[in-house]
Amino acid sequence: MESTSVVQVIATDADDPTYGYSARVAYSILQGQPYFSVESDTGIIRTALPNMDREAKEQYQVLIQAKDMGGQMGGLSGTTSVNITLTDVNDNPPRFPQSVYQMSVKESSREGAAVGRIKAYDADIGENAEIIYRIIDGDGMNMFDITTDRATQEGVVLVKKMLDYESKKNYALKVEALNSRLDARFLYLGPYKDTTTVRIVVEDADEPPVFSRPFYMFDVYEDIDVGTIVDTITAQDPDASRSLVSYSIDRHTDLDRYFNINSANGSIVTLKPLDREEMAWHNITVIATETVLENSRQTSRVPVLIKVLDVNDNAPEFPMVYETFVCENAKAGQLIQTVSAVDQDSPPSGSRFFFCLAPEAANNPNFTVRDNEDNTAGILTRRGGFSRQEMNTYLLPILISDKEYPIQSSTNSMLIRVCACDSDGTMQSCNTEAIILPPGLSTGALIAILLCIIILLVIVVLFAAMRKQRKKEPLIISKEDIRDNIVSYNDEGGGEEDTQAFDISTLRNPEVIEDTQLRRDIKPENFLLPRPAPPVPDNTDVRDFINQRLKENDTDPGAPPYDSLATYAYEGNGSIAESLSSLESVTTETDQDYDYLSDWGPRFKKLSDMYGGEDSDRDS
């Protein structure tokens, strides 16, 4: 094979090239044989061996000598080193180090999950070592896939479809690895690809129950009885153990508890009456749970859509409250109002309503109903000459029914007012007051009159209330109330130092002195209670006097209507000093001895001087 030029080295000599051979340079190789050679005259380095293998040796160091004098003895020389690196070519195919790979995967692995990795080795580098992996045969071609990790040039086996341990436990794949870039110069060396076998074992996993459908949709009529079975759903445990499954409804999706489910067989039943007009669709979620204790967390959920079908259970009715009027000068057969109807039901063939007078008003002499056969009806007069004075309003009952089975009907009332109209039938007034009241009295004047009447009534009520309050005042309000007061004159009491006219407590019953009850004819006021007086010795004469006066007042029909005690200046029957009056001396024939007055102290000195001796008597 012809050698390949690698590089040229050039040496220079400062000697004069025209003078002999002193500037003539010859090249030779000192290191790098037998792989490379150098041309003596040109310094071109060439390969010396054919088919050099980069994979065997990639780096080379070549030592070149340049010698003048044409390389003869006595010439001067110099050397240089040349580092040579072999570049790669795609002359090696990829190779698997194993003929069979073993892998395992859980049956619960999701689609796209990695099962394992395989790698084919290529002695080349860079683009020449890029490998493509593909599955070319095997019973798992539909269940698995393989892709290339560009960073590591590995083949990654992936789950393509959900696995089922109970259906198939083992798979075999035939995987091929080939270079993505080929060099035609080396195709004669053979195919640039390799194959291997990948065996995959599926491991059992505890799986949740699986429903027979991804979702369920049922139809049910709204008039079914409570407790009726709507339909049944089924779910099974896919594991080999085949555990039993219990069913329940997620109550967050059925807050009003319209449905229930049999936990054993999955039958859905109604718990409440259904109403399509209230809720036409029910979207609930059913939960299936394995009943084995250790697997109690394995659950599955499925949506269940229940469509409530319509039943003719609503009667047609007016869409609004109809109020109309009829003119006093209306004629018989005149149209005064057109009415329509609505029905909450939705019959498949469309609604068709029938209008007529209610049975109790079938012979109504004033109005009649004409069915327009387009779900509307006209209200017509049967006579003319209406009068507001005779009847200002009419209530007309109208029967509306549909044609669906079972037929539903309802009675709707319409209010008809009698109004005054002009010759064109335009309403002017519907108030009966306009006929009765004088024409000059307006509505504002009527309101003013009513307000005046109300004000007068309020004044009368207030005046009566004030008089009634005044009557409740006490019978005696004078500060000179003498019921519990005695004004005494000609005090014969304790002399100059006596500061009180009379102690009225003497006249009170000792048993009731401490009584603090208030008078019933006077409204009680907040005041400080008087301090209790010291007890007074019992006086028989005073008690008898008081009892006598009390008896007289109790039997007196003209006595005041309150509990009181009338007292009358009772002075008792004597004192421990006996009478000091000089009036009694007139009635006595004998002289009195008043000498004892001087023994009573200075308070009675004056009396002692006046009555103390005979001389004094005589002089007087």
Side-chain angles (χ1 to χ4, degrees), residues 432-454:
T432 57
E433 293 83 2
I435 303 174
I436 300 173
L437 297 176
L441 197 58
S442 64
T443 304
L446 288 176
I447 295 175
I449 293 173
L450 290 175
L451 289 176
C452 293
I453 294 174
I454 292 173

Side-chain angles (χ1 to χ4, degrees), residues 17-74:
T18 62
Y19 179 74
Y21 292 100
S22 59
R24 183 182 178 185
V25 179
Y27 301 93
S28 63
I29 184 168
L30 301 180
Q31 180 183 330
Q33 299 167 334
Y35 303 103
F36 298 95
S37 64
V38 64
E39 292 181 357
S40 160
D41 297 334
T42 61
I44 297 175
I45 302 174
R46 294 180 177 277
T47 58
L49 296 176
N51 300 325
M52 296 183 68
D53 190 0
R54 183 202 65 84
E55 288 74 28
K57 186 173 176 63
E58 183 177 6
Q59 299 287 339
Y60 296 89
Q61 189 177 48
V62 178
L63 184 61
I64 304 296
Q65 181 185 60
K67 191 175 183 180
D68 59 8
M69 296 299 290
Q72 298 179 10
M73 295 293 292

Side-chain angles (χ1 to χ4, degrees), residues 492 577-586 592 594 607 611:
E492 300 179 4
E578 296 182 352
S579 177
L580 301 179
S581 175
S582 60
L583 298 178
E584 293 183 359
S585 61
V586 180
Q592 298 289 332
Y594 296 103
L607 292 178
Y611 299 98

Side-chain angles (χ1 to χ4, degrees), residues 93-103 116-124 129-134 146-157 175-178 194-198:
R95 291 289 183 263
F96 283 107
Q98 300 175 215
S99 59
V100 177
Y101 289 85
Q102 296 286 347
M103 297 181 182
R117 291 171 176 257
I118 61 175
K119 185 172 184 180
Y121 292 92
D122 192 332
D124 300 321
E130 292 182 356
I131 302 174
I132 297 176
Y133 298 89
R134 62 184 182 182
I146 191 169
T147 185
T148 301
D149 186 344
R150 294 300 177 186
T152 62
Q153 293 301 312
E154 292 178 318
V156 183
V157 181
V175 180
E176 180 183 68
L178 67 158
D194 194 14
T195 59
T196 188
T197 300
V198 179

Side-chain angles (χ1 to χ4, degrees), residues 93-266:
R95 291 289 183 263
F96 283 107
Q98 300 175 215
S99 59
V100 177
Y101 289 85
Q102 296 286 347
M103 297 181 182
S104 63
V105 61
K106 289 279 188 182
E107 65 171 331
S108 58
S109 299
R110 298 180 179 274
E111 296 179 7
V115 179
R117 291 171 176 257
I118 61 175
K119 185 172 184 180
Y121 292 92
D122 192 332
D124 300 321
I125 60 174
E127 294 181 351
N128 297 322
E130 292 182 356
I131 302 174
I132 297 176
Y133 298 89
R134 62 184 182 182
I135 301 174
I136 59 175
D137 198 4
D139 56 1
M141 292 183 65
N142 296 328
M143 305 302 295
F144 299 94
D145 199 357
I146 191 169
T147 185
T148 301
D149 186 344
R150 294 300 177 186
T152 62
Q153 293 301 312
E154 292 178 318
V156 183
V157 181
L158 305 175
V159 176
K160 188 176 182 180
K161 292 183 179 179
M162 292 297 295
L163 303 172
D164 186 7
Y165 171 82
E166 290 72 25
S167 300
K168 190 173 179 59
K169 301 178 179 61
N170 297 284
Y171 293 91
L173 304 174
K174 188 175 181 179
V175 180
E176 180 183 68
L178 67 158
N179 287 136
S180 59
R181 299 171 186 267
L182 300 179
D183 192 336
R185 296 174 300 172
F186 305 101
L187 292 179
Y188 68 93
L189 298 176
Y192 280 78
K193 56 185 177 181
D194 194 14
T195 59
T196 188
T197 300
V198 179
R199 299 188 183 278
I200 301 176
V201 177
V202 180
E203 296 179 353
D204 189 19
D206 185 17
E207 300 174 278
V210 177
F211 288 95
S212 59
R213 304 181 198 171
F215 67 93
Y216 294 84
M217 181 179 292
F218 304 132
D219 294 338
V220 60
Y221 285 99
E222 62 177 327
D223 62 344
I224 63 172
D225 297 331
V226 173
T228 302
I229 296 177
V230 177
D231 215 315
T232 302
I233 63 175
T234 57
Q236 293 182 350
D237 181 13
D239 298 323
S241 59
R242 298 297 181 184
S243 300
L244 296 178
V245 176
S246 64
Y247 303 91
S248 62
I249 294 177
D250 184 354
R251 288 305 173 188
H252 291 90
T253 62
D254 186 26
L255 295 176
D256 295 328
R257 294 182 175 268
Y258 280 99
F259 303 95
N260 198 9
I261 189 169
N262 189 306
S263 61
N265 59 25

Side-chain angles (χ1 to χ4, degrees), residues 155-401:
V156 183
V157 181
L158 305 175
V159 176
K160 188 176 182 180
K161 292 183 179 179
M162 292 297 295
L163 303 172
D164 186 7
Y165 171 82
E166 290 72 25
S167 300
K168 190 173 179 59
K169 301 178 179 61
N170 297 284
Y171 293 91
L173 304 174
K174 188 175 181 179
V175 180
E176 180 183 68
L178 67 158
N179 287 136
S180 59
R181 299 171 186 267
L182 300 179
D183 192 336
R185 296 174 300 172
F186 305 101
L187 292 179
Y188 68 93
L189 298 176
Y192 280 78
K193 56 185 177 181
D194 194 14
T195 59
T196 188
T197 300
V198 179
R199 299 188 183 278
I200 301 176
V201 177
V202 180
E203 296 179 353
D204 189 19
D206 185 17
E207 300 174 278
V210 177
F211 288 95
S212 59
R213 304 181 198 171
F215 67 93
Y216 294 84
M217 181 179 292
F218 304 132
D219 294 338
V220 60
Y221 285 99
E222 62 177 327
D223 62 344
I224 63 172
D225 297 331
V226 173
T228 302
I229 296 177
V230 177
D231 215 315
T232 302
I233 63 175
T234 57
Q236 293 182 350
D237 181 13
D239 298 323
S241 59
R242 298 297 181 184
S243 300
L244 296 178
V245 176
S246 64
Y247 303 91
S248 62
I249 294 177
D250 184 354
R251 288 305 173 188
H252 291 90
T253 62
D254 186 26
L255 295 176
D256 295 328
R257 294 182 175 268
Y258 280 99
F259 303 95
N260 198 9
I261 189 169
N262 189 306
S263 61
N265 59 25
S267 298
I268 298 177
V269 298
T270 57
L271 287 179
K272 289 182 178 180
L274 303 179
D275 187 354
R276 187 201 66 86
E277 289 71 35
E278 180 180 347
M279 186 179 296
W281 285 89
H282 295 268
N283 186 1
I284 65 176
T285 299
V286 174
I287 304 173
T289 307
E290 293 181 3
T291 58
V292 180
L293 183 59
E294 56 269 23
N295 298 329
S296 58
R297 293 186 178 179
Q298 292 295 334
T299 61
S300 296
R301 307 166 74 90
V302 68
V304 179
L305 305 177
I306 300 176
K307 181 180 180 181
V308 182
L309 302 179
D310 187 34
V311 174
N312 190 31
D313 57 349
N314 291 279
E317 57 187 5
F318 283 157
M320 65 184 73
V321 177
Y322 283 107
E323 288 190 11
T324 187
F325 69 94
V326 61
C327 296
E328 288 183 309
N329 56 0
K331 299 179 180 179
Q334 181 175 336
L335 176 67
I336 61 174
Q337 180 68 43
T338 299
V339 298
S340 61
V342 294
D343 192 343
Q344 295 184 10
D345 297 320
S346 58
S349 59
S351 301
R352 174 67 176 94
F353 305 131
F354 301 93
F355 300 84
C356 65
L357 288 176
E360 62 271 17
N363 298 322
N364 190 302
N366 303 307
F367 305 96
T368 186
V369 176
R370 181 183 65 195
D371 193 337
N372 297 328
E373 298 183 358
D374 59 354
N375 292 341
T376 64
I379 310 302
L380 307 172
T381 58
R382 275 187 171 175
R383 65 178 180 87
F386 292 90
S387 174
R388 285 179 291 170
Q389 292 181 341
E390 296 178 359
M391 179 72 71
N392 60 348
T393 58
Y394 293 91
L395 197 63
L396 185 66
I398 301 173
L399 181 67
I400 310 175
S401 58

Side-chain angles (χ1 to χ4, degrees), residues 87 101 216 271 314 319 416 431 549 565:
T87 58
Y101 289 85
Y216 294 84
L271 287 179
N314 291 279
I416 303 174
N431 298 326
R549 292 299 183 187
L565 179 64

